[in-house]
Amino acid sequence: VFSLHPRTCFNSFYQVYQHKLKLALIGQSIFGQEVYNKLRKEGHKVVGVFTVPDKNGQADPLALAAEKDGTPVFKFPRWRAKGKPIEEVVAAYKSVGAELNVLPFCTQFIPMDVIDCPKHGSIIYHPSILPRHRGASAINWTLIQGDKKAGFTIFWADDGLDTGPILLQRECDVGQNDTVDDLYNRFLFPEGIKAMVEAVHLIADGKAPRIPQPEEGATYEGIQKKENAEISWDQPAAALHNWIRGHDKVPGAWATIDGQAVTFYGSSLFDASVPAGQELAIKGASRPGLVTKNGLVIFGNDGKMVLVRNLQFEDGKMILASKYFSTDETTALELTEEEKKMAEDIRAIWKGILSNVAVIEDSTDFFISGASSMHVVRMLEEIKQKYSGLQLQNEDVYMATKFADFIQVAVRKIRGEDKEEELVIDYVSKNVNQMTVNMPYQCFINGQFIHADDGKTYDTINPADGSIIASVSSASLADVDKAVAAAKEAFENGEWGRMNARERGRLMYRLADLMEEHQEELATIESIDSGAVYTLALKTHVGMSVQTFRYFAGWCDKIQASEYGATIPINQARPNHNLTFTKKEPIGVCAIVIPWNYPLMMLAWKSAACLAAGNTLVLKPAQVTPLTSLKFAELSAKAGFPKGVINILPGSGGLVGQHLSEHPDVRKVGFTGSTPTGKQIMKSCFYMIIYIFCSAATNLKKVSLELGGKSPLIIFSDCELDRAVKMGMGAVYFNKGENCIAAGRLFVEESIHDEFVRKVVEEIKKMKIGDPLDRSTDHGPQNHKAHLEKLLQYCETGVKEGATLVYGGRQVRRPGFFMEPTVFTDVEDHMYIAQEESFGPVMVISKFKNGDVDGVLRRANTTEYGLASGVFTKDISKALYISEKLEAGTVFINTYNKTDVAAPFGGFKQSGFGKDLGEEALHEYLRTKAITVEY
């Protein structure tokens, strides 16, 4: 029933294991401690723990856990003397009566008398995929040799060196910039603990395999020590990078600079043009390094580059490599009383870890006192539990190893003084909706709010009363070029391009949290800028935006999984063997152009997927609704997004949007708006096709378009009529009708037509039209004056063509751009209002004959648009039949406007192509690379 291949995942065995064993644990470290705890939790009896003596008065974590539980603990400095087992030690071991020895992490040589003594022998954890990388520095060599896969093996101990039969193995991918710590913390530690427990279960139930190790592919490498970790410079950049990361953090790859050994940490491949910087001579290197604003750039013998973030000197001091030539001495901060209390709390945390140190002095060094990399993780987690607002990283500890220095770092962090540059914002502030809202009004380019290059501005208007909210910067062509250049730099050379996917997700979660914290302010700005009813703005415009960012944040570290990356069988050219696999990559700089009906939500729908995929963006909000986009820019900077990743350009669509679609450095355009504008963008993005043979000005890029709609809603006589009335009104009047999927035409079955119309008019009369900030308002103003005028003209056209105006069709007599909810009946298929979208609160009703399913389907599909559609009927077979026949990207059955962040959204025909939301949206912002290897 069960496959026992050594790399099989054994999670399913947990529920069938029956037998328990008496175990001896031999080893040390937090890893050993966790294995011990899990085995006891699973019901096995640990009869003895054999570990190393206390170091500097500090007991090993495994010993601490066992002593706390009352498990016998033995601390032998050695098991052998002059090559022979020490009799007293072996006798002490045998006294516990173990049935199996478990060696999770052991640095001591254990005699075969002990290994073979128990009934079931001994199992050992080894951090490589044996037989590759036998030896004590297996993880280091996995990276040094550039392996694409890492993993671990649990094997049966024998008298060889890591040569015993295999019990099970697990493997993981190695990221391009993974370090030893990355692999250990992400995979080898957590999955290794689970696997050790599973291995014991398998042995207990007699199901554990013993698979001999093959000799093919076997390697053995010695222990890496500081003296043999010097960098050899005559090799390619990739090899230099692998050597540095393979020694990060222990023992540390080093080179001689200015006569002293300097250790390199935090390397990454640097695929870009040579940056500006100050030359730094390195002994043995044929070419000087460059100290740049991002770190130290070093060169391989192939001319390619590696970026090194941190340097450590012989005295233990670590600095940012970018600060190598800096002579600035940071003045020690005077601590407030509250900060002094924080310092004492941190001192207590250090004391809890460094239990061997009598007193934590200001000069106490964390690592010299016996701490390891796992203690760094523990310390930061304990600080985070006590001070959630203090965001410290592992590197902060390595760069400030003495207590006093570390406290200075922590205080600067909590004060916000560690930021490279303070975000300067010139707000327009208004007291509105019982709060003060602070609104940025300038272009946001490369992490800064700045005026447009030519100084031009325009007024954005409150549609509720026609008043000016703010004068907003109107971006110029020069601003577009600056924003695209900043986005390109951030993608190719900046921190964002080097950031791992999980950290990218963390930033997106943080941004979502900030949006939620500011939701009332965002909803208020959205309401006064777009006319959205505040309660709707809070729940939908802002609420769904927060949900969207959280949804896509969760996708960040899963893009290379499952269908996003695959191995592909291909024809082999004998005698050679080939392997082809695919990977998904971000595209680069993306231009996003959004409409005015849901300013923040449309921003979120597109930019969240774009950022999750690893791209950078330049976003142009609608000219009439720029304010929530600019507030979003502020929050993104506060969330910690690196400069240049997000750029916002308010201004003219004809100028800014057009230049973005034509810009050669923009690799993708995502647009939501009208069909005519979408067609113009298509022409701009495919300029290359027309002129490729006669012009050097070429432009070809990926495009996704969410355009206009004329969504049909079919209501059958067998529906729940009151529900159909309620949902039908929502389908038309939701968000004042300014809704891309609004039901542009209702087809109502003849037998219920008149009653349906009567009920709709009754409900309209109950609707409150008024101030969108009033919590009791149902219907707010149209977005802007020109749109209101267009809607009034639309209604006049309907009347002239012979449709019956049952209700509304007029501007409301009050300040602002308010329009009455409108109902037309007797609308024939040839009429303008039957074919064209109103994008407003206009219900267009056509009657269809009783029982004429196929006839109404033909009429519903006689439109060039295909964004959404709907049907109301109790007959599920009929509903499903209609859903198959309707030519629309979304079909609603007995509901409407039910969108969700996990469900793909997009249209057919003239309504565009590509998807927002859901897993499919990620495809719009990724490219597929196929890689074939011959071996």
Side-chain angles (χ1 to χ4, degrees), residues 6 130-131 134 156 163-167 169 209-215:
L130 291 174
R134 294 168 175 164
W156 298 92
T163 56
I166 295 169
L167 195 161
Q169 291 181 317
R210 291 175 179 262
I211 300 174
Q213 288 191 36
E215 281 308 308

Side-chain angles (χ1 to χ4, degrees), residues 442-475:
Q442 298 164 296
C443 302
F444 185 72
I445 301 173
N446 202 26
Q448 294 180 309
F449 284 101
I450 58 174
H451 292 297
D453 186 73
D454 58 10
K456 289 185 178 179
T457 63
Y458 68 94
D459 294 336
T460 184
I461 305 298
N462 185 340
D465 58 12
S467 63
I468 296 172
I469 305 170
S471 289
V472 178
S473 294
S474 184

Side-chain angles (χ1 to χ4, degrees), residues 672-684:
T672 296
S674 70
T675 297
T677 304
K679 289 179 178 178
Q680 180 58 44
I681 286 175
M682 281 287 291
K683 289 179 183 178
S684 300

Side-chain angles (χ1 to χ4, degrees), residues 129-175:
I129 305 170
L130 291 174
R132 188 162 173 79
H133 303 311
R134 294 168 175 164
S137 294
I139 313 178
N140 304 79
W141 285 102
T142 297
L143 296 175
I144 291 168
Q145 296 194 356
D147 293 0
K148 300 303 180 185
K149 293 285 184 182
F152 59 79
T153 304
I154 297 174
F155 68 97
W156 298 92
D158 67 356
D159 59 358
L161 188 63
D162 303 332
T163 56
I166 295 169
L167 195 161
L168 63 83
Q169 291 181 317
R170 299 274 174 78
E171 64 179 36
C172 68
D173 293 328
V174 178

